[in-house]
Amino acid sequence: MGVNRRYELWAEEQTGRGVDLDWVRRELDALEIETPSWGYGDSGTRFKVFHQEGAARDVYEKVAQAGKVHRLTGAAPSVALHIPWDRVDDYGALARHAREHGVRLGAINPNLFQEDAYRLGSLCHPDEGVRRQAVEHIRECIEIAKVTGSSIISLWFADGTNYPGQDDFRARRRRLLEALQQVTASLPEGMRLLIEYKFFEPAFYHTDLADWGTAYLAASRLGPRAQVLVDTGHHAQGTNIEHIVATLLDEGKLGGFHFNDRKYADDDLMVGSIHPFQLFLILKELVAGLREPELEPQVRRVAYMIDQSHNIEPKVPAMVQSVVNVQTAYAKALLVDWGALAQAQREGDVIGAHRLLRDAFETDVRPLLAHWREGKGLPPDPVAASAGV
Amino acid sequence: MGVNRRYELWAEEQTGRGVDLDWVRRELDALEIETPSWGYGDSGTRFKVFHQEGAARDVYEKVAQAGKVHRLTGAAPSVALHIPWDRVDDYGALARHAREHGVRLGAINPNLFQEDAYRLGSLCHPDEGVRRQAVEHIRECIEIAKVTGSSIISLWFADGTNYPGQDDFRARRRRLLEALQQVTASLPEGMRLLIEYKFFEPAFYHTDLADWGTAYLAASRLGPRAQVLVDTGHHAQGTNIEHIVATLLDEGKLGGFHFNDRKYADDDLMVGSIHPFQLFLILKELVAGLREPELEPQVRRVAYMIDQSHNIEPKVPAMVQSVVNVQTAYAKALLVDWGALAQAQREGDVIGAHRLLRDAFETDVRPLLAHWREGKGLPPDPVAASAGV
Amino acid sequence: MGVNRRYELWAEEQTGRGVDLDWVRRELDALEIETPSWGYGDSGTRFKVFHQEGAARDVYEKVAQAGKVHRLTGAAPSVALHIPWDRVDDYGALARHAREHGVRLGAINPNLFQEDAYRLGSLCHPDEGVRRQAVEHIRECIEIAKVTGSSIISLWFADGTNYPGQDDFRARRRRLLEALQQVTASLPEGMRLLIEYKFFEPAFYHTDLADWGTAYLAASRLGPRAQVLVDTGHHAQGTNIEHIVATLLDEGKLGGFHFNDRKYADDDLMVGSIHPFQLFLILKELVAGLREPELEPQVRRVAYMIDQSHNIEPKVPAMVQSVVNVQTAYAKALLVDWGALAQAQREGDVIGAHRLLRDAFETDVRPLLAHWREGKGLPPDPVAASAGV
Amino acid sequence: MGVNRRYELWAEEQTGRGVDLDWVRRELDALEIETPSWGYGDSGTRFKVFHQEGAARDVYEKVAQAGKVHRLTGAAPSVALHIPWDRVDDYGALARHAREHGVRLGAINPNLFQEDAYRLGSLCHPDEGVRRQAVEHIRECIEIAKVTGSSIISLWFADGTNYPGQDDFRARRRRLLEALQQVTASLPEGMRLLIEYKFFEPAFYHTDLADWGTAYLAASRLGPRAQVLVDTGHHAQGTNIEHIVATLLDEGKLGGFHFNDRKYADDDLMVGSIHPFQLFLILKELVAGLREPELEPQVRRVAYMIDQSHNIEPKVPAMVQSVVNVQTAYAKALLVDWGALAQAQREGDVIGAHRLLRDAFETDVRPLLAHWREGKGLPPDPVAASAGV
């Protein structure tokens, strides 16, 4: 059966369920997933970085590979940078290079953990000089963002301690908040700070921004231009991430995602490869937000970014697979029967409400995605197509 | 060697380390640990409640047993109540009964999970009538607290869902915050709401107040009379509880503790029986707070409460053991060399700073506690003494 | 589109992929899922058992409800008993009652945790008298199994300790192994012992049979008539259950499953409601085993049993949903392209091999199941149908 | 108070409790803790390896530093090697170098995870050539061990997969067992294989030897010269390690330890720095084993090895601190009143038995250790002394 015939039959079923397929396709069109430059170079675990044939060697090659991913998926129009990993002399030239490859430069990620000075922290460091150095580095990133046209500074701090007593929790917190206020003061109009949290690693006793609560409090102190960044691999085992997402949305503080998957810790596997249902449940909260007028503007600005570290799998196919997995889960979330769900919830119909979500999740959306791709001149199976790139 | 001689030798060592033993003893005098009425009755797991010989059968017996624990330890002068478990006709009479047993009535804990109406939640329930019933029950507890002279309403909500889709996270959150505001409006001068959070159980998909962040946001919305209650058994595996305690202190929102221990989930074991070093690290944050003038008033009001569920061990000895374990860890925390610790932290001396905490933890404080008890006419080994009670 | 037309289109796709649909349907026919009598009565958490309207009140009603589940699903032809919960005077009469309701009596589960004598354990108890009592109870269950025609004795021990030092690990282990040997000696030809393990609860410091390794060693000591029972909710967070299943299969020691789902601990939720992909990955190991002649006999004897505890959801629909979820995951596992998978694995094609599993998982098998049901005169949506029962 | 006077008072107390201090001191004398060569060089996390001033640059410097640790502690007479990290032309010369620094060469650790060939595994790899390469490498290590006089080959396999479907669990298992049998055949008389397991990392979906059960089954298949190696950081959160230790002892399969501490995953922190009570509980099982004639020979051969990765703390002091922490916990375990404990356990005295362990743990053993060191001409505080080395 061809793509068109398969889609027609699929569409007939969905329309019969009351789904507005025009809306679904418009929202698929609007879904943009940023890929990270560091996902195209060699990376690995503390035990070994396996060199991948064809792995990008510099930021120009990384941007070019991001361009391939977008050409294959039609859904990954920007690429995030890590500074100083991606430092170049001329960011204007890099931005042009990106445009030539069909993408734009996205979030700028200051690296605050690989200088020797940061052994005991960056913004939380006991030494004022180190904190100043870190603040200056973030300001440098803000300047870069101005040139590249990026609107997001994405902040992840490796700050923490390895041993009880090593440092003072409250003193570190005050240093962090003070330094973040200095950074925020340098932020131009239209640029946002996204503050990431992480349960542990590389700090093993405490992490200064260990959970959404600590990140929220920091973002809250900094005003409307600071929001929280949710990395799906940065939680304690069992944490209900979709609940956190809903809470942050409700507080107007959901800034974006670093998508990846994990079974154990911050494993940085391909998005949705271990817990596809959880990915669907997270995206379902975003789709629900789209449908509420007072939340929609916030949801429209949420940055969907991939952050994964390929150790043994080829880079471009892995990135394409992740983009496809986000699209797949998003498409399923778009099929939820929201009216029936709200009614079942109101009536306390526990199983009925649960089944309405499952109905959407069980639906095979490959006919939809293949058809959507064909309409845009994209390969019907972008992962298969990526192997030959 | 007798208690006095052993203490003299011990005191000589500590004084040599620069410890101010008068201060230590004053702070030990000031340490008050509340025991829960429900810790004296039969309790257990979902699989079986083993009946304990001598377990209290009603609130009068429970209060009498709390009195015994205080007589044996000198450190447990109040007893928390659970309503309706401890409902009586005349709370004034109950308060007098408590005084006759040497204790006072402490925190009032509304029970919002054992009515059939609460199957889908209490303050978060989809049905307005159920929410109203729950608000009324908390108001009843406030009235009881006025009569008993209690200054704390301790709120734990079992609210949550068991299945994805069962209810709407954000709608539940709004219901909760609205209902809490109604409750707060009924709070008389001098009474506090302590809001507890819990990672999971009895809800198994999401819990509305799942972590300190959600409880903090609620308390924050309610103003200065609402604070957060930390139950040491209510966290994801690996969570750094002492870091949460420090953060809440820094925000002025640490209201109190429900102490117990656990290896797995909310196991409700005797305090400090599994992770004695963690108990010390938590109490160390409180002692650090005592030493800062702007934090001291908050720390002085922190309510230390025990919340444990004895399944196989005798009730009164288990409670005494827990009180003793808190005292032990607290006494060790009082021995920390704070000046040297601050210096090591400033200098980035990772091992040195850690060792300063370990020095305090390794110290055997039994000579101090035995001497302190003798000075108050208490048995030197209250657990041993409790067996015969 | 009708059930037939939908199935035809679906079958055309699958046949095109090389799937042998006759084999798939035969294996669906062969899939039998046992439901537990205790899943039809009131149950709950340690905080509250909510009474469900229509919950079965005695074993006769429970068996009748199991009959309904089988009538609705065509896949649940037997019901497990718990003794003494389901103790009756005449087990022959109970077996006839079951047959009248279209089902047979399945595994017999001795209850070794609800007598007061078992406060410190059953087969591991320090007291020989208690151990003897427990052995006698299991022997009673063996006698019952002879009458009911059951071929499985399903052993779960709540044995463990709550505090370090409470008992001696090795002494308990020897008591356990000795008692199990006594029990095995009483086992008639054709009857199997399935030994279950559990990470924790109701014991909170250690559990004597805490993981598959301890259960395996016990089963191994007892010879070929003892095997291991895997309860999907009885593992540490992050445990790879499908790997354990494969290992036990490889050792000839996989006896059966207690299916349920969980996000945190032993939450006993509906099967597949939280981690549907994990359920698929587990069943994929069984399907793989079916395809190997030396494993097939073992796989054919694996007992698929549901063990869940409904707290807030209606009993019969929840059980039907679980049966359907197992069927759904199993049907997907039957669609895996094993030849292509083996080749991708041999070639080290990491993403390719992973995608072959995902292809099967993403496939919507509802057309298949609806058609399979229609062919058997079953309702196309058994959960919906169960609401009116 | 001087070391002698303090010890005398301490000894008086302990003798009064019935402790046989001669035995305690003899067992302290017998305690030997091996340190790892890789603990003296730069190491870190996947995010950053901070260079430490004075970190050893080659195996000769590493061995020299191990010599310092032994000179300071008197308890670390051997050093483990990692091949090829520590590959030299003349192992005889290296052994002499070690002796000159007062230590001997200990366990040989084949490195089976840093060749590009091992991207998909070593002994479990789908390709026979890679498996052969890995077998050859282990055989090389056996040859080295013959020259260095080492009696232990310590095997840790990073083998595992990152994605569901990537490889076949059972096929990998058979490859592993077959290759291990080949290796075992090369083992000379008097040499042991210790097989380590790990919950996860660097593999993130499944690890072939993921838990003690898988390692036990492998060791069991290989006969008496293969045993299990327990790394204290290689378990799921909440795992009761001391129970595993007791089980392996009971089966005659406890070969040794890799000691370190962790709060989250395989954090490789200083031994006992996070969970000192757990370290005591583990060592208590060993001391209990010493007291049983049929277990004593096994216990005497258990290899106590440290395996930690210092990221931010200085190497030699961190290693000394770990050795001291093991000694401290071991000394406490030697003080347990075993007779009273057995009686309390027999009588089902839950709290009493628990308190007997706590009594030993609460005892400050620093007077004993300082005196023991003075008697051997060692510095009373080896960590402080190490700073100046």
Side-chain angles (χ1 to χ4, degrees), chain A residues 47 114 119 163 312-313, chain D residues 47 114 119 163 266 312-313:
Chain A
F47 294 102
Q114 287 196 318
R119 188 173 56 92
Y163 294 103
I312 58 168
E313 65 273 33
Chain D
F47 295 102
Q114 288 196 320
R119 187 172 58 91
Y163 294 102
D266 186 31
I312 59 167
E313 64 273 34

Side-chain angles (χ1 to χ4, degrees), chain A residues 164-165 169-170 173-174 205 207 211-212 216-217 221 240 242-243 250-251 285 292 295 345 353-354, chain B residues 164-165 169-170 173-174 205 207 211-212 216-217 221 240 242-243 250-251 285 292 295 345 353-354:
Chain A
F169 296 136
R170 286 182 287 107
R173 185 164 191 264
R174 290 166 191 167
Y205 168 58
T207 297
D211 55 16
W212 74 268
Y216 170 87
L217 278 177
R221 197 71 69 88
N240 188 318
E242 53 271 29
H243 185 210
D250 206 39
E251 292 281 334
E285 292 299 319
E292 296 195 22
L295 289 182
Q345 291 173 342
H354 174 63
Chain B
F169 296 138
R170 286 182 287 106
R173 185 164 191 262
R174 289 165 192 168
Y205 168 61
T207 298
D211 56 16
W212 74 268
Y216 169 87
L217 278 178
R221 196 72 69 89
N240 187 317
E242 52 271 30
H243 185 211
D250 207 39
E251 293 281 335
E285 293 300 319
E292 295 195 24
L295 290 181
Q345 291 173 343
H354 175 64

